[in-house]
Coordinates of all heavy atoms in Angstrom, one line a residue:
C88 N 3.4 -15.3 10.4 CA 3.9 -14.0 10.8 C 3.0 -12.9 10.2 O 3.1 -12.7 9.0 CB 5.3 -13.7 10.5 SG 6.4 -14.9 11.3
I89 N 2.1 -12.4 11.0 CA 1.2 -11.3 10.4 C 2.0 -10.0 10.5 O 2.3 -9.6 11.6 CB -0.1 -11.2 11.2 CG1 -0.8 -12.6 11.0 CG2 -1.0 -10.1 10.7 CD1 -1.2 -12.9 9.7
M90 N 2.2 -9.4 9.4 CA 3.0 -8.1 9.4 C 2.1 -7.0 9.1 O 1.0 -7.1 8.7 CB 4.1 -8.2 8.2 CG 5.0 -9.5 8.4 SD 6.1 -9.6 7.0 CE 6.9 -8.1 7.1
V91 N 2.6 -5.8 9.4 CA 1.8 -4.6 9.2 C 2.0 -4.1 7.8 O 3.0 -3.4 7.5 CB 2.3 -3.5 10.2 CG1 1.4 -2.3 10.1 CG2 2.3 -4.0 11.6
I92 N 1.1 -4.4 7.0 CA 1.3 -4.2 5.6 C 0.0 -3.9 4.9 O -1.0 -4.4 5.3 CB 2.0 -5.4 4.9 CG1 1.6 -6.7 5.6 CG2 3.5 -5.2 4.9 CD1 2.5 -7.8 5.3
A93 N 0.1 -3.1 3.8 CA -1.2 -2.6 3.2 C -1.8 -3.6 2.3 O -1.3 -4.7 2.2 CB -0.8 -1.4 2.4
L94 N -3.0 -3.3 1.8 CA -3.8 -4.4 1.1 C -4.2 -4.0 -0.3 O -4.2 -2.9 -0.7 CB -5.0 -4.6 1.9 CG -6.2 -5.3 1.3 CD1 -5.9 -6.8 1.0 CD2 -7.4 -5.2 2.0
C95 N -4.6 -5.0 -1.0 CA -5.3 -4.8 -2.2 C -6.6 -4.0 -1.9 O -7.3 -3.5 -2.8 CB -5.7 -6.1 -3.0 SG -6.4 -7.3 -1.9
S96 N -6.9 -3.9 -0.7 CA -8.1 -3.0 -0.4 C -7.6 -1.6 -0.4 O -8.5 -0.7 -0.3 CB -8.6 -3.4 1.0 OG -7.7 -3.1 2.0
C97 N -6.3 -1.3 -0.4 CA -5.8 -0.1 -0.9 C -5.2 1.0 0.0 O -4.3 1.6 -0.5 CB -6.9 0.7 -1.7 SG -8.5 0.2 -1.4
S98 N -5.5 1.2 1.2 CA -4.9 2.3 2.0 C -3.5 2.1 2.1 O -3.0 1.0 2.2 CB -5.6 2.4 3.4 OG -6.9 2.9 3.3
K99 N -2.8 3.2 2.2 CA -1.3 3.0 2.1 C -0.6 3.4 3.4 O 0.4 2.9 3.7 CB -0.8 3.8 0.9 CG 0.0 5.0 1.2 CD 0.5 5.6 -0.1 CE 0.5 7.1 0.0 NZ 1.0 7.7 -1.1
D100 N -1.1 4.4 4.2 CA -0.3 4.9 5.3 C -0.9 4.7 6.7 O -0.3 4.9 7.7 CB 0.0 6.3 5.1 CG 0.9 6.6 3.9 OD1 1.8 5.8 3.7 OD2 0.6 7.6 3.2
E101 N -2.2 4.4 6.7 CA -2.9 4.4 8.0 C -3.1 3.1 8.6 O -4.0 2.8 9.2 CB -4.4 5.0 7.7 CG -4.4 6.2 6.9 CD -4.5 6.1 5.4 OE1 -4.3 4.9 5.0 OE2 -4.8 7.0 4.7
Y102 N -2.0 2.3 8.6 CA -2.1 1.0 9.3 C -1.6 1.0 10.7 O -0.6 1.6 11.1 CB -1.3 0.0 8.4 CG -1.9 -0.2 7.1 CD1 -1.5 0.5 6.0 CD2 -3.1 -1.0 7.0 CE1 -2.1 0.4 4.8 CE2 -3.7 -1.1 5.7 CZ -3.3 -0.4 4.6 OH -3.9 -0.5 3.4
I103 N -2.3 0.1 11.5 CA -2.0 0.1 12.9 C -1.0 -1.1 13.1 O -1.1 -2.1 12.6 CB -3.3 -0.3 13.7 CG1 -4.4 0.8 13.4 CG2 -3.0 -0.5 15.2 CD1 -5.7 0.4 14.0
D104 N 0.1 -0.7 13.9 CA 1.0 -1.8 14.2 C 0.3 -2.9 15.0 O -0.4 -2.6 16.0 CB 2.1 -1.2 15.0 CG 3.1 -0.3 14.2 OD1 3.1 -0.6 13.0 OD2 3.7 0.5 14.8
I105 N 0.6 -4.1 14.7 CA 0.1 -5.3 15.5 C 1.0 -5.4 16.7 O 2.2 -5.5 16.6 CB 0.1 -6.5 14.6 CG1 -0.8 -6.4 13.4 CG2 -0.3 -7.7 15.5 CD1 -0.8 -7.6 12.5
T106 N 0.4 -5.4 17.9 CA 1.2 -5.5 19.1 C 1.9 -6.9 19.2 O 1.4 -7.8 18.6 CB 0.4 -5.2 20.3 OG1 -0.6 -6.2 20.4 CG2 -0.3 -3.8 20.2
E107 N 2.8 -7.0 20.1 CA 3.5 -8.3 20.3 C 2.5 -9.3 20.9 O 2.5 -10.5 20.5 CB 4.6 -8.1 21.3 CG 5.4 -9.4 21.5 CD 6.7 -9.1 22.3 OE1 7.1 -7.9 22.5 OE2 7.2 -10.1 22.8
E108 N 1.5 -8.8 21.7 CA 0.5 -9.8 22.2 C -0.4 -10.2 21.1 O -0.7 -11.4 21.0 CB -0.4 -9.0 23.2 CG 0.3 -8.9 24.6 CD -0.7 -8.3 25.6 OE1 -1.6 -7.5 25.2 OE2 -0.6 -8.6 26.8
E109 N -0.8 -9.3 20.2 CA -1.7 -9.7 19.1 C -0.9 -10.7 18.2 O -1.5 -11.6 17.6 CB -2.2 -8.5 18.3 CG -3.2 -7.7 19.1 CD -3.4 -6.3 18.5 OE1 -2.5 -5.8 17.8 OE2 -4.5 -5.8 18.7
Q110 N 0.4 -10.4 17.9 CA 1.1 -11.3 17.0 C 1.3 -12.7 17.6 O 1.2 -13.7 16.9 CB 2.5 -10.7 16.8 CG 3.2 -11.2 15.6 CD 3.9 -10.2 14.8 OE1 4.1 -9.1 15.3 NE2 4.3 -10.6 13.6
L111 N 1.4 -12.8 18.9 CA 1.5 -14.1 19.6 C 0.2 -14.8 19.4 O 0.1 -16.0 19.2 CB 1.8 -13.9 21.0 CG 3.2 -13.5 21.4 CD1 3.3 -13.2 22.9 CD2 4.2 -14.6 21.0
L112 N -1.0 -14.1 19.4 CA -2.3 -14.7 19.2 C -2.3 -15.4 17.8 O -2.7 -16.5 17.6 CB -3.4 -13.7 19.3 CG -3.8 -13.3 20.7 CD1 -4.8 -12.2 20.6 CD2 -4.4 -14.5 21.4
V113 N -1.8 -14.6 16.8 CA -1.8 -15.1 15.4 C -0.8 -16.1 15.1 O -1.0 -17.0 14.3 CB -1.6 -13.9 14.5 CG1 -1.6 -14.3 13.0 CG2 -2.7 -12.8 14.6
N114 N 0.3 -16.1 15.8 CA 1.5 -16.9 15.5 C 1.6 -18.1 16.5 O 2.6 -18.8 16.6 CB 2.8 -16.2 15.7 CG 2.9 -15.1 14.6 OD1 2.2 -15.1 13.7 ND2 3.9 -14.2 14.8
D115 N 0.4 -18.4 17.2 CA 0.5 -19.6 18.1 C 0.8 -20.9 17.4 O 0.0 -21.4 16.7 CB -0.9 -19.6 18.8 CG -1.0 -20.7 19.9 OD1 0.1 -21.4 20.1 OD2 -2.0 -20.9 20.5
E116 N 2.0 -21.4 17.7 CA 2.4 -22.7 17.0 C 1.6 -23.9 17.5 O 1.6 -24.9 16.8 CB 3.9 -22.9 17.2 CG 4.7 -21.9 16.5 CD 6.2 -22.2 16.6 OE1 6.5 -23.3 17.1 OE2 7.0 -21.4 16.2
N117 N 1.0 -23.7 18.6 CA 0.2 -24.8 19.1 C -1.3 -24.8 18.7 O -2.1 -25.6 19.1 CB 0.3 -24.8 20.7 CG 1.7 -25.0 21.1 OD1 2.4 -25.9 20.6 ND2 2.1 -24.2 22.2
D118 N -1.6 -23.8 17.9 CA -3.0 -23.7 17.4 C -3.2 -24.7 16.3 O -3.0 -24.4 15.1 CB -3.3 -22.3 16.9 CG -4.8 -22.1 16.6 OD1 -5.6 -23.0 16.9 OD2 -5.1 -21.1 16.0
D119 N -3.6 -25.9 16.6 CA -3.8 -27.0 15.7 C -5.0 -26.9 14.9 O -6.0 -27.7 15.1 CB -3.7 -28.3 16.5 CG -3.4 -29.5 15.7 OD1 -2.9 -29.4 14.6 OD2 -3.8 -30.6 16.1
T120 N -5.2 -25.9 14.0 CA -6.4 -25.5 13.5 C -6.7 -25.9 12.0 O -7.8 -25.7 11.6 CB -6.6 -24.0 13.6 OG1 -5.6 -23.3 13.0 CG2 -6.7 -23.6 15.1
V121 N -5.7 -26.3 11.3 CA -6.0 -26.5 9.9 C -6.5 -27.9 9.7 O -5.9 -28.9 10.1 CB -4.7 -26.3 9.1 CG1 -5.0 -26.6 7.6 CG2 -4.2 -24.9 9.3

C-alpha cells in the first residue's frame, strides 16, 4: 500500500495524492516480481 506520506528527503506539505489507478499499479497482487 503506497501511501501519500512525506520523506526523509524532507518536504512536508507538497505531496501529490496517489490516484486509485496509480495505487492499483503499485498494489498489483499478481505482480510476481520478487
Side-chain angles (χ1 to χ4, degrees):
C88 296
I89 298 297
M90 303 172 62
V91 185
I92 32 196
L94 161 71
C95 46
S96 67
C97 23
S98 287
K99 114 178 143 175
D100 294 318
E101 308 89 348
Y102 294 96
I103 304 172
D104 287 335
I105 298 176
T106 66
E107 188 172 340
E108 282 186 331
E109 290 168 334
Q110 197 139 15
L111 287 172
L112 284 173
V113 176
N114 292 346
D115 183 2
E116 292 186 8
N117 296 318
D118 187 9
D119 195 20
T120 57
V121 178

